[in-house]
């Protein structure tokens, strides 16, 4: 006890910004963040302790440098207090794995991980400076490649270095010098003038540091140390160096038209096959993760053919409209083309714009006296080339200072250019069809990729002493049992055990059916009244069969409106119902939409949920004309939860048997941030947080949404604190509001918090944990200073590249109908992190393609979950998803948060894109326009379903 007392005093001195958690933890591993708002802090916390404690702390801090400088820089970008960041960086360690799970039926699976062996020798890091400065990575790599070709056998001492295209060069041993200057001449195309010229570069190579392999070996041996990111980066560069010379390299992906014949996607695009490659530290050692990929590239077509495909019409005979010209300009800007009117001499240019005039009307000055010459005459006189399609505009190429005009017919698109703009629905469908592979096919392609990469004879891999196994990793897995589900006692089937991740509603009634007395329908499609009326009658009957109380007739007759009259129609129906009911509100609006409805769906949801406070259910006309009972059953499930009902509940929840949920009031959060597509740069990101509102059932989730700066991943509005001139310090934020909502709904405050956070990459783990756990603490303390329920913070990842395959594809007992591994398959060994608490869970049955397991990583755990407890809880929750009778691939609170964030993008004002573009985009620090507030009637139910 004296030792513990000393340690607590010593810990508080080193980390004055931290407070002790109410739950006993290993203090050196899990410091609890300061959770009190500044107005609540005790000034005595920051007083100096004894001189002897200071001396003792120095030795410990030297020995315990947990975070690298680069990680500190990243954390400081989040806006956290610098002292807090510094202390946290030195002390924060993710929870160690508490053991391995034992629950479930054991089996073997294969993973697309390949064991990698590395040399024990340290590597050497050199800084590279190129003068004049080069901004293109491709050019930089060409310069260093030429340097190695010329000097490898002499000045480089037979070393074969690898280069990252920036400032870093690595070798397997020391070079014969610590500093040396080289002069390199490179021939290159000039995209401004279209010419080819020689340029001379001065290259300085200077020794920077040794890259130690010691920490990597420590990590792989199971010691809890920081991930040695630099060492892993070097190995990644080595493994991709040779392939990057012949493939198109995009991040960690490598693409080539030679892997498989490109497939046309329409609109001048084609899909290229490629693969993902990344080195990862795992329990079995270093692992090379290989996965297949497909991506859209621009077809190397003549520009006129590309334009015809974009517009979907012939462009050779008719002039273009203004709308056509805008569409072409948007598609072609930034695309590289080569000229075809000069025979084999093909200069390359990058398109900067499109002329507003047709080619035949274009003139340009030929001398200082401003004598003008037409583009048509210039090409005829200069090149003997007759422009045939002079009614088309010219491409603008080169710099803004010196714009060159090129006729479309004399240009061809250069191959190998990735398409970075948004795909339309047809193109997305085509790309998915091309990339969708059954597990057996995908496994075969991965093994073939390993063989074709031929790492054994790769000169760079041999130089650095790396060897790669050619077999997929064989991994022990377990199939967790499906949970029993509870339905209403009036149904013929009161309890049900799902089989292979799916079931149906036959002979079942929802456990808590909602009541719909007042409903209305607006028909925005061309379907006639009788068809719309018949559809509504069948939908009402299905809701009644499912266990809901639902009035047979709408309050007012079905109202028909044009799609462009959505606001007028909604307000008319809303007021007409209120007038007829004497002020009572409409409970449900059914909207029948055209199949291609443009912005109608988003406009309707925005008006209903932020203006009128209406719960709505949209149905496409194709389902109205061709009624399917399964479709009606799914719609009935959605309507029930939107109106506050429950569809099903885990039987263990009702019998108080869920570990670390049923014992005390527990709230489960889900959070996600969605970012705009690359073509929508000025748009803000949208964060959503949902939280369970019932206990012990944990089935209903209320949701809140907010905007935040463009591509900001940290959720800014989890907790807010501001000074009001009349009320003093005021607290708010999404966490606080949902905690209050839970207490209002259940009559109890949560005594445990489980937080599932979606969409976080591994490089953001520390930032997100520090910032968002701090916000959770502050939100709790703002309700009561002593209120600090223990928190478990779990990151959910779907955008990873680990795939699991059945050990025997012919064994029907080990696969589902699609050939994928069985739902409930969990892996927490061999391919998982060497020391941290993570696992892969495939909780769903495959439909088509190869199933992607979700990767769960526990970043903070004050509730002391065992591996079986968190894995079983997560898997069981996947069977409570409200919108279908299937277990889903991601834990529902995270799924719901994603749906809510997606819905909120419709709430942004229609002109937000134009405002952003006119300002040239927002800086990250610029405030963003807040979303309109959700109506009270809406935000307490699952409106996003």
């Amino acid at each position: 006890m004296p030792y513990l007392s000393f340690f607590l005093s010593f810990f508080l001195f080193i980390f004055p910004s931290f407070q002790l958690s109410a739950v006993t933890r290993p203090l050196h591993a899990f410091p609890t963040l300061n959770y009190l708002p500044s107005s609540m802090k005790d000034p005595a916390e920051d007083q100096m302790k004894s001189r002897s404690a200071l001396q003792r702390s120095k030795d410990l801090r030297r020995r315990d440098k947990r975070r690298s400088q680069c990680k500190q820089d990243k954390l400081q970008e989040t806006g956290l207090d610098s002292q807090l960041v510094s202390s946290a960086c030195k002390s924060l360690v993710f929870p160690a794995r508490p053991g391995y799970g034992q629950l479930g039926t054991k089996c073997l699976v294969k993973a697309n991980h390949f064991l990698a062996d590395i040399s024990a020798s340290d590597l050497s890091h050199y800084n590279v400076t190129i003068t004049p400065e080069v901004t293109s990575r491709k050019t930089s790599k060409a310069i260093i490649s030429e340097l190695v070709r010329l000097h490898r056998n002499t000045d480089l001492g037979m070393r074969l270095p690898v280069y990252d295209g920036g400032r870093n060069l690595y070798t397997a041993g020391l070079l014969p010098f610590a500093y040396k200057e080289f002069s390199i001449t490179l021939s290159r195309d000039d995209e401004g003038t279209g010419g080819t010229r020689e340029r001379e570069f001065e290259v300085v190579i200077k020794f920077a540091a040794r890259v130690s392999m010691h920490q990597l070996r420590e990590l792989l041996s199971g010691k809890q140390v920081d991930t040695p990111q630099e060492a892993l980066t070097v190995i990644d560069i080595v493994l991709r160096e040779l392939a990057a010379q012949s493939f198109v390299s995009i991040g960690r992906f490598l693409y080539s038209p030679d892997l498989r014949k490109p497939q046309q996607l329409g609109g001048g695009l084609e899909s290229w096959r490629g693969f993902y490659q990344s080195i990862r530290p795992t329990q079995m050692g270093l692992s090379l993760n290989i996965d297949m990929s497909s991506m859209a590239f621009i077809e190397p077509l003549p520009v006129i053919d590309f334009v015809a495909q974009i517009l979907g019409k012939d462009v050779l005979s008719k002039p273009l409209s203004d709308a056509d010209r805008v569409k072409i300009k948007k598609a072609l800007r930034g695309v590289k083309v080569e000229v075809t009117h000069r025979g084999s001499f093909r200069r390359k240019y990058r398109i900067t714009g499109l002329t507003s005039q047709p080619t035949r009307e274009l003139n340009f000055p030929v001398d200082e006296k401003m004598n003008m010459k037409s583009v048509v005459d210039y090409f005829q006189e200069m090149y003997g080339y007759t422009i045939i399609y002079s009614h088309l505009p010219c491409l603008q190429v080169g710099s803004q200072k010196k714009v060159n005009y090129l006729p479309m017919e004399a240009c061809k698109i250069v191959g190998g250019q990735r398409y970075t703009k948004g795909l339309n629905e047809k193109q997305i469908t085509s790309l998915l069809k091309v990339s969708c592979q059954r597990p057996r096919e995908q496994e075969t392609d991965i093994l073939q990729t390993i063989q074709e990469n031929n790492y054994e004879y790769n000169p760079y891999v041999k130089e650095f002493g790396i060897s790669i196994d050619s077999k997929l990793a064989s991994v022990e897995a377990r199939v967790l049992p499906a949970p029993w589900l509870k339905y209403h006692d009036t149904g013929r089937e009161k309890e049900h055990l799902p089989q292979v991740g799916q079931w149906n509603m036959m002979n079942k009634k929802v456990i808590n059916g909602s009541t719909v007395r007042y409903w209305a329908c607006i028909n925005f499609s061309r379907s006639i009244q009788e068809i719309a009326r018949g559809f509504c009658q069948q939908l009402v009957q299905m809701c009644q069969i499912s266990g809901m109380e639902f009035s047979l007739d709408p309050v007012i007759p079905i109202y028909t409106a044009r799609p462009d009259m959505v606001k007028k129609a909604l307000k008319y129906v809303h007021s007409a119902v209120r007038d007829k009911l004497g002020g009572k509100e409409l409970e449900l609006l059914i909207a029948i939409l055209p199949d291609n409805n443009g912005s109608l769906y988003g406009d309707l949801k925005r008006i209903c949920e932020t203006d009128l406070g209406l719960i709505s259910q949209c149905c496409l006309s194709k389902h109205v004309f061709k009624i399917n009972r399964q479709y009606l059953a799914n719609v009935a499930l959605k309507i029930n939860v939107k109106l506050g009902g429950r569809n099903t509940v885990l039987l263990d929840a009702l019998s108080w048997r869920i570990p670390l949920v049923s014992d005390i009031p527990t709230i489960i959060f889900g959070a996600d941030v969605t970012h705009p597509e690359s073509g929508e740069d000025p748009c803000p990101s949208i964060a959503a947080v949902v939280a369970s509102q019932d206990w012990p059932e944990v089935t209903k989730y209320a949701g809140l949404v907010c905007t935040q700066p463009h591509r900001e991943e940290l959720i800014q509005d989890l907790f807010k604190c501001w000074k009001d001139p009349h009320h003093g310090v005021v607290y708010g934020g999404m966490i606080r509001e949902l905690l209050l909502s839970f207490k209002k709904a259940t009559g109890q405050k949560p005594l445990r918090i489980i937080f599932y956070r979606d969409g976080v990459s591994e490089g953001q783990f520390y930032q997100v944990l520090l910032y968002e756990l701090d916000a959770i603490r502050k939100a709790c303390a703002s309700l009561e200073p002593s209120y600090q329920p223990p928190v478990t913070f779990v990151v959910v990842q779907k955008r990873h590249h680990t795939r699991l395959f059945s050990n025997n594809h012919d064994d029907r007992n080990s696969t589902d109908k699609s050939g994928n591994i069985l739902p409930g398959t969990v892996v927490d060994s061999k391919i998982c992190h060497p020391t941290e608490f993570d696992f892969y869970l495939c909780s769903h049955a495959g439909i088509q393609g190869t199933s992607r397991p979700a990767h769960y990583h526990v970043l903070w755990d004050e509730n002391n979950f065992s591996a079986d407890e968190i894995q079983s809880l997560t898997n069981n929750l996947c069977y409570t998803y409200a919108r279908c009778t299937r277990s889903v691939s991601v834990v529902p609170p995270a799924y719901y948060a994603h749906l809510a964030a997606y819905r909120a993008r419709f709430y942004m004002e229609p002109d937000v894109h134009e405002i952003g573009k006119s300002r040239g985009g927002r800086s990250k620090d610029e405030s963003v326009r807040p979303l309109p507030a959700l109506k009270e009637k809406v935000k307490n139910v699952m409106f996003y379903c």
Side-chain angles (χ1 to χ4, degrees):
M1 289 301 292
Y3 171 79
L4 177 61
S5 176
F6 160 74
F7 191 88
L8 293 178
S9 301
F10 160 68
F11 178 84
L12 285 173
F13 169 65
I14 297 182
F15 304 111
S17 299
F18 291 146
Q19 301 247 342
L20 290 179
S21 168
V23 177
T24 304
R25 306 296 295 163
L27 295 178
H28 69 283
F30 307 110
T32 303
L33 293 174
N34 173 21
Y35 55 80
L36 291 178
S38 55
S39 58
M40 299 181 185
K41 288 182 182 175
D42 182 359
E45 285 181 12
D46 295 322
Q47 291 179 353
M48 294 296 292
K49 307 296 182 185
S50 66
R51 175 70 179 170
S52 59
L54 177 60
Q55 292 295 332
R56 285 191 296 270
S57 73
K58 285 182 178 179
D59 291 336
L60 182 62
R61 278 184 284 186
R62 288 193 193 101
R63 195 171 65 240
D64 199 32
K65 288 185 177 180
R66 299 285 187 191
R67 303 275 68 83
S68 65
Q69 185 60 44
C70 66
K71 197 170 288 178
Q72 291 189 37
D73 294 340
K74 286 183 180 179
L75 287 166
Q76 286 168 346
E77 291 173 7
T78 67
L80 293 169
D81 177 79
S82 59
Q83 184 179 358
L84 174 63
V85 169
S86 179
S87 299
C89 286
K90 293 177 181 177
S91 64
L92 183 64
V93 177
F94 297 141
R97 190 180 303 280
Y100 295 97
Q102 303 298 321
L103 185 66
T105 305
K106 292 184 178 180
C107 62
L108 278 178
V109 297
K110 290 177 285 187
N112 58 337
H113 287 244
F114 299 85
L115 185 63
D117 190 27
I118 59 168
S119 167
S121 304
D122 290 346
L123 309 178
S124 300
H125 174 205
Y126 292 84
N127 286 333
V128 174
T129 305
I130 301 175
T131 309
E133 186 177 358
V134 177
T135 56
S136 165
R137 292 176 67 88
K138 185 177 180 181
T139 304
S140 297
K141 297 201 92 169
I143 294 167
I144 298 302
S145 179
E146 180 69 4
L147 186 151
V148 173
R149 187 184 71 83
L150 295 173
H151 299 282
R152 181 187 178 189
N153 295 340
T154 54
D155 296 308
L156 299 183
M158 298 300 293
R159 294 288 180 195
L160 183 61
V162 293
Y163 174 56
D164 70 352
R167 291 182 53 85
N168 304 301
L169 182 139
Y170 301 97
T171 59
L174 289 170
L175 293 174
F177 56 82
Y179 177 95
K180 196 169 184 64
E181 297 179 4
F182 298 88
S183 181
I184 302 296
T185 301
L186 196 68
S187 298
R188 63 186 292 271
D189 289 337
D190 187 338
E191 292 176 5
T193 65
T196 301
R197 59 174 174 168
E198 288 189 345
R199 292 187 65 189
E200 192 169 292
F201 299 92
E202 295 298 322
V203 180
V204 175
I205 297 178
K206 180 182 178 182
F207 178 78
R210 283 185 177 272
V211 180
S212 173
M213 294 288 112
H214 174 72
Q215 196 170 353
L216 180 57
R217 290 192 294 274
E218 293 274 280
L219 177 65
L220 296 176
S221 69
K223 294 185 179 178
Q224 201 160 7
V225 297
D226 281 346
T227 301
Q229 201 57 54
E230 187 179 21
L232 294 174
T233 299
V234 177
I235 298 169
D236 256 331
I237 294 170
V238 172
L239 290 172
R240 65 188 292 108
E241 183 74 16
L242 186 62
Q245 294 172 14
S246 54
F247 285 65
V248 175
S249 178
I250 301 170
R252 294 181 184 272
F253 295 86
L254 295 152
Y255 296 94
S256 170
D258 300 327
L259 285 181
R260 182 190 290 179
K261 184 181 178 181
Q263 302 291 310
Q264 289 193 345
L265 303 177
L269 305 183
E270 63 184 11
S271 71
W272 281 21
R273 192 66 167 161
F275 63 93
Y276 168 91
Q277 175 178 287
S278 176
I279 201 79
R280 300 180 61 81
T282 64
Q283 292 172 35
M284 70 177 185
L286 266 187
S287 165
L288 180 63
N289 183 203
I290 297 280
D291 191 25
M292 306 312 297
S293 175
S294 293
M295 182 167 284
F297 281 76
I298 303 172
E299 282 192 75
L301 298 169
V303 170
I304 283 186
D305 292 348
F306 180 76
V307 167
Q309 287 204 33
I310 290 171
L311 300 179
K313 65 181 183 181
D314 175 42
V315 297
L316 301 182
S317 55
K318 296 180 181 179
L320 301 177
S321 66
D322 289 342
D324 290 340
R325 192 175 281 105
V326 169
K327 195 172 183 179
I328 295 168
K329 183 178 179 180
K330 183 179 179 182
L332 286 176
R333 180 178 288 160
V335 174
K336 190 181 288 187
V337 294
E338 59 184 10
V339 296
T340 58
H341 65 285
R342 300 185 66 184
S344 60
F345 186 62
R346 297 201 163 192
R347 294 179 177 176
K348 295 176 182 177
Y349 301 85
R350 193 173 296 278
I351 299 172
T352 57
L354 197 69
T355 61
S356 57
Q357 299 166 285
T359 303
R360 60 183 170 227
E361 296 177 15
L362 283 174
N363 299 289
F364 62 95
V366 293
D367 53 33
E368 294 178 356
K369 296 180 179 179
M370 300 302 288
N371 290 315
M372 306 300 286
K373 184 183 286 288
S374 72
V375 170
V376 173
D377 290 343
Y378 176 81
F379 271 79
Q380 182 66 55
E381 296 171 11
M382 190 72 179
Y383 306 113
Y385 183 85
T386 302
I387 297 175
I388 301 172
Y389 306 110
S390 59
H391 65 285
L392 294 176
C394 270
L395 304 177
Q396 292 178 329
V397 299
S399 64
Q400 291 182 344
K401 294 180 180 178
K402 186 179 181 182
V403 177
N404 291 336
Y405 298 131
L406 289 178
M408 284 188 183
E409 65 196 78
C411 296
K412 181 184 177 184
I413 294 171
V414 176
Q417 296 181 78
R418 174 194 177 194
Y419 185 73
T420 58
K421 304 175 178 70
L423 301 176
N424 61 39
E425 190 173 334
K426 185 179 178 181
Q427 290 167 336
I428 291 172
T429 302
S430 299
L431 185 60
L432 289 175
K433 188 176 180 180
V434 168
S435 58
C436 184
Q437 284 185 298
R438 292 290 190 185
R440 190 195 298 262
E441 297 167 3
Q442 181 140 352
E443 180 184 329
T444 301
D445 277 5
I446 289 170
L447 288 170
Q448 186 176 339
T449 300
I450 278 285
Q451 291 171 0
E452 290 174 351
N453 287 349
N454 210 359
Y455 296 107
E456 186 179 355
Y457 298 101
N458 184 315
Y460 297 97
V461 174
K462 289 177 70 175
E463 172 83 7
F464 283 78
I466 302 172
S467 62
I468 306 293
D469 194 356
S470 59
K471 296 179 181 177
L472 291 162
S474 182
V475 185
E476 289 186 358
R478 291 168 289 112
V479 180
L480 301 178
W484 281 89
L485 303 177
K486 182 70 175 74
Y487 284 93
H488 200 275
D489 288 337
T490 59
R492 287 172 60 186
E493 193 174 357
K494 303 175 182 62
E495 298 171 3
H496 184 77
L497 181 64
Q499 301 297 317
V500 199
Q502 51 192 325
W503 63 103
N504 59 49
M505 287 296 293
M506 287 183 63
N507 302 321
K508 305 176 190 67
K509 292 182 183 289
V510 295
I511 190 165
N512 298 117
S514 54
T515 300
V516 181
R517 293 165 297 175
Y518 311 124
W519 64 277
C521 175
I522 301 179
N523 180 12
F524 289 103
S525 77
R526 294 179 179 178
S527 55
I528 58 176
Q529 286 289 86
E530 284 303 316
I531 295 176
R533 187 179 297 113
F535 172 79
C536 288
Q537 287 174 350
Q538 292 204 40
L539 179 58
V540 168
Q541 290 172 10
M542 181 58 74
C543 289
Q544 292 172 336
I545 292 169
S546 299
M548 298 171 62
E549 292 184 24
F550 211 115
S551 296
L552 284 174
D553 299 313
V555 177
I556 60 174
I558 294 175
Y559 184 74
T560 301
R562 296 203 319 266
D564 59 347
M565 302 293 287
V566 57
K567 188 170 186 178
K568 184 178 179 181
L570 288 170
K571 292 200 169 183
Y572 167 78
V573 169
H574 184 248
S575 60
V577 169
R578 290 190 67 178
D579 291 344
K580 186 169 182 178
L581 296 177
K584 292 181 180 178
E585 293 285 342
L586 188 67
E587 293 170 339
L588 175 67
L589 174 72
I590 298 171
I592 300 173
L593 309 184
D595 295 336
N596 298 312
N597 54 72
S599 64
L600 174 59
Y601 177 85
D603 292 341
L604 185 146
K605 291 297 183 182
R606 185 184 73 254
I607 295 166
C608 285
E609 292 162 7
T610 67
D611 186 8
L612 303 177
L614 288 179
I615 300 299
S616 60
Q617 178 58 52
C618 295
C619 304
L620 294 178
S621 57
K622 64 182 179 182
H623 299 301
V624 174
F625 280 105
K626 189 176 180 180
I627 299 175
N628 178 282
R629 288 188 63 79
Q630 184 60 56
Y631 171 77
L632 293 177
N634 285 344
V635 173
L637 294 177
K638 293 174 69 174
I639 289 174
N640 187 48
V641 296
K642 286 181 181 182
L643 293 168
R646 294 187 191 90
N647 292 337
T648 187
V649 173
L650 296 172
L651 187 61
D652 280 354
L654 295 180
S655 53
W656 307 86
R657 291 200 303 260
I658 302 180
L660 295 172
V661 172
S662 300
D663 55 340
I664 56 175
T666 299
I667 187 169
I668 301 180
F669 285 92
D672 189 23
V673 179
T674 62
H675 303 293
E677 294 180 6
S678 57
E680 303 176 50
D681 284 343
C683 298
S685 294
I686 293 181
V689 180
V690 304
S692 57
Q693 299 295 291
D694 53 348
W695 179 78
E697 296 93 344
V698 290
T699 304
K700 293 183 181 181
Y701 289 83
L704 297 172
V705 291
C706 70
T707 52
Q708 54 188 48
H710 177 70
R711 304 207 72 82
E712 173 60 69
E713 184 58 46
L714 306 181
I715 302 178
Q716 304 295 294
D717 282 358
L718 288 181
F719 175 75
K720 294 187 291 187
C721 176
W722 67 95
K723 285 189 177 180
D724 183 273
H726 303 292
H727 302 96
V729 178
V730 179
Y731 304 113
M734 294 192 285
I735 295 292
R736 191 177 194 274
E737 188 170 341
L738 289 168
L739 290 171
L740 290 171
S741 179
F742 179 95
K743 185 173 183 181
K744 183 178 179 181
T746 65
Q748 304 180 78
K749 63 184 178 183
L751 299 180
R752 178 184 291 116
I753 293 174
I754 301 170
F755 197 94
Y756 286 102
R757 177 65 157 89
D758 194 10
V760 181
S761 65
E762 291 177 2
Q764 297 170 312
F765 278 4
Y766 285 96
Q767 291 171 270
V768 169
L769 178 62
L770 281 171
Y771 187 90
E772 296 184 5
L773 183 59
D774 186 53
I776 294 169
R777 294 294 194 208
K778 289 176 178 176
C780 293
S782 71
L783 298 172
E784 294 176 26
S786 60
Y787 175 51
Q788 284 304 306
V791 178
T792 295
F793 194 104
V794 185
V795 166
V796 189
Q797 293 176 304
K798 281 291 284 182
R799 293 185 178 181
H800 61 83
H801 293 274
T802 291
R803 301 291 182 272
L804 302 175
F805 305 102
S806 171
N807 192 52
N808 181 0
H809 291 287
D810 296 321
D811 182 5
R812 295 296 180 88
N813 294 323
S814 65
T815 62
D816 59 22
K817 290 180 181 178
S818 67
N820 280 287
I821 55 174
L822 294 171
T825 301
V826 64
V827 169
D828 60 2
S829 64
K830 203 161 184 180
I831 59 170
C832 293
H833 194 277
T835 61
E836 294 170 8
F837 192 3
D838 70 325
F839 59 93
Y840 292 95
L841 172 64
C842 183
S843 52
H844 66 297
I847 298 176
Q848 61 179 358
T850 302
S851 295
R852 185 192 315 225
H855 185 208
Y856 296 88
H857 207 123
V858 182
L859 301 189
W860 191 266
D861 185 25
E862 294 173 326
N863 291 297
N864 295 304
F865 274 94
S866 69
D868 277 332
E869 286 167 345
I870 192 68
Q871 291 167 11
S872 181
L873 171 64
T874 303
N875 184 59
N876 291 351
L877 287 174
C878 290
Y879 286 79
T880 66
Y881 185 63
R883 305 207 313 174
C884 61
T885 52
R886 298 178 65 94
S887 59
V888 289
S889 59
V890 174
V891 68
Y895 206 141
Y896 294 146
H898 178 77
L899 292 177
Y902 182 81
R903 171 66 59 81
R905 199 156 289 283
F906 295 126
Y907 299 161
M908 292 193 295
E909 295 299 325
D911 64 343
V912 72
H913 301 277
E914 298 307 317
I915 290 174
K917 288 174 184 175
S918 66
R919 292 179 180 175
R922 291 187 176 89
S923 68
K924 200 164 188 178
D925 297 329
E926 185 179 340
S927 61
V928 295
R929 184 189 300 185
L931 294 170
L934 289 167
K935 294 297 182 181
E936 287 296 324
K937 181 181 175 182
V938 173
K939 68 183 179 183
N940 291 323
V941 295
M942 298 169 72
F943 66 92
Y944 42 80
C945 279

